């Protein structure tokens, strides 16, 4: 059974998830830890629970979801894994820092490791996750779906009663609506862990989210 720990990170209140199972293998999703105490809390949680990180997964290439990649790389030798559509964006996170936050990063980001695709599931412990390509918030946005436990990690594609912005680099309202229609086919009881804000379910979003429609 999945154990999901949420860390709310950085100035945009981004959700980073550390997900483990009874084997003590784990994955880290969207390490947006910017402040030192956030970085330390994630590393301490992993060490304190005797976890073995297997993947650093990125739902997309925006900086608020990747501020802490260097910490995970240094602590656990894991390079970020991202869809090819956002690979170029991930190689220029320093430019995002300057353009969107008016800051300069005083540390180097690790290079992209594995390229994510729907053809290659993510495996760790006793679990196998489907990678669902969901462009719209960015060209390379993806979600991670555990069909056995009906859990979806949606990044910034789907929020509770809302969706991610489409007016940023490589965003598209048409594409995100198409992606949402694909997610709407998942079981209603699927729990959705979002990139910002509280969790929700597919069923609740079908009833309450004006952007969701089967």
């Amino acid at each position: 059974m999945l154990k999901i720990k949420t860390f709310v990170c950085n100035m945009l209140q981004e959700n980073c998830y550390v997900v483990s199972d009874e084997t003590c293998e784990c994955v880290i999703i969207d390490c947006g830890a910017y402040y030192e105490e956030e970085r330390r809390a994630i590393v301490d949680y992993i060490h304190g629970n005797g976890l073995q990180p297997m993947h650093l997964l990125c739902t997309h290439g925006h900086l608020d979801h990747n501020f802490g990649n260097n910490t995970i790389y240094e602590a656990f030798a894991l390079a970020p894994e991202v869809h090819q559509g956002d690979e170029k964006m991930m190689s220029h996170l320093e430019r995002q820092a300057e353009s969107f936050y008016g800051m300069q990063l005083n540390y180097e980001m690790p290079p992209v490791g594995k390229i994510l695709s729907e053809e290659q599931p993510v495996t760790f412990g006793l679990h196998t996750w489907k990678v669902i390509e969901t462009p719209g918030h960015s060209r390379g946005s993806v979600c991670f779906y555990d069909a056995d436990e009906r859990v979806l990690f949606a990044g910034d594609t789907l929020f509770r009663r809302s969706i991610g912005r489409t007016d940023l680099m490589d965003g598209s309202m048409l594409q995100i609506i198409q992606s949402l229609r694909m997610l709407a086919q998942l079981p209603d009881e699927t729990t959705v862990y979002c990139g910002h804000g509280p969790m929700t379910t597919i069923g609740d979003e079908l009833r309450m989210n004006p952007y969701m429609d089967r």
Side-chain angles (χ1 to χ4, degrees):
M1 184 172 181
L2 293 177
K3 181 178 181 181
I4 301 168
K5 176 67 173 178
T6 305
F7 297 87
V8 180
C9 297
N10 68 57
M11 60 290 290
L12 294 186
Q13 300 290 282
E14 178 266 348
N15 292 329
C16 169
Y17 300 102
V18 178
V19 187
S20 57
D21 68 10
E22 52 267 44
T23 70
C24 288
E25 290 189 354
C26 73
V27 298
I28 302 150
I29 303 173
D30 287 356
C31 188
Y34 175 71
Y35 301 106
E36 183 58 36
E37 58 268 27
E38 298 167 350
R39 298 167 182 265
R40 187 166 53 250
I42 294 170
V43 173
D44 287 351
Y45 173 81
I46 292 170
H47 285 315
N49 287 275
L51 302 180
Q52 181 182 1
M54 305 302 293
H55 300 277
L56 172 55
L57 302 175
C58 306
T59 61
H60 62 291
H62 291 158
L63 179 59
D64 59 313
H65 289 250
N66 294 280
F67 270 120
N69 288 352
N70 65 312
T71 289
I72 303 304
Y73 186 72
E74 292 164 5
F76 305 110
L78 290 179
E81 302 177 23
V82 69
H83 187 274
Q84 186 174 19
D86 279 9
E87 182 182 12
K88 183 177 181 180
M89 191 188 304
M90 287 284 287
S91 67
H92 299 295
L93 292 174
E94 295 83 0
R95 295 183 188 174
Q96 289 188 50
E98 295 175 2
S99 299
F100 293 102
Y101 299 91
M103 64 168 66
Q104 290 190 337
L105 297 181
N106 59 0
Y107 52 89
E108 291 188 8
M109 286 294 190
V112 170
K114 181 180 176 181
I115 297 299
L116 300 171
S117 72
E118 290 189 336
E119 289 72 36
Q120 294 183 308
V122 172
T123 61
F124 71 100
L126 303 176
H127 289 80
T128 298
W129 288 358
K130 181 178 181 180
V131 178
I132 305 176
E133 296 174 359
T134 54
H137 179 65
S138 70
R139 183 180 300 155
S141 285
V142 298
C143 299
F144 304 105
Y145 179 55
D146 189 313
D148 292 333
E149 301 203 22
R150 296 188 175 178
V151 169
L152 179 77
F153 295 91
D156 285 3
T157 297
L158 177 61
F159 299 144
R160 184 176 182 270
R161 311 292 191 267
S162 188
I163 61 173
R165 295 174 61 174
T166 59
D167 60 335
L168 302 173
M169 62 188 79
D170 296 330
S172 166
M173 178 59 77
L174 175 60
Q175 285 188 325
I176 203 169
I177 293 300
Q178 293 172 335
S179 295
L180 292 168
R181 287 174 179 166
M182 185 165 47
L183 295 182
Q185 305 308 310
L186 298 176
D188 284 7
E189 62 270 27
T190 300
T191 301
V192 181
Y193 289 85
C194 307
H196 301 266
M199 70 180 71
T200 184
T201 67
I202 292 295
D204 282 350
E205 295 313 301
L206 283 168
R207 288 188 291 271
M208 302 296 292
N209 192 326
Y211 297 97
M212 288 282 282
D213 184 14
R214 276 195 176 133

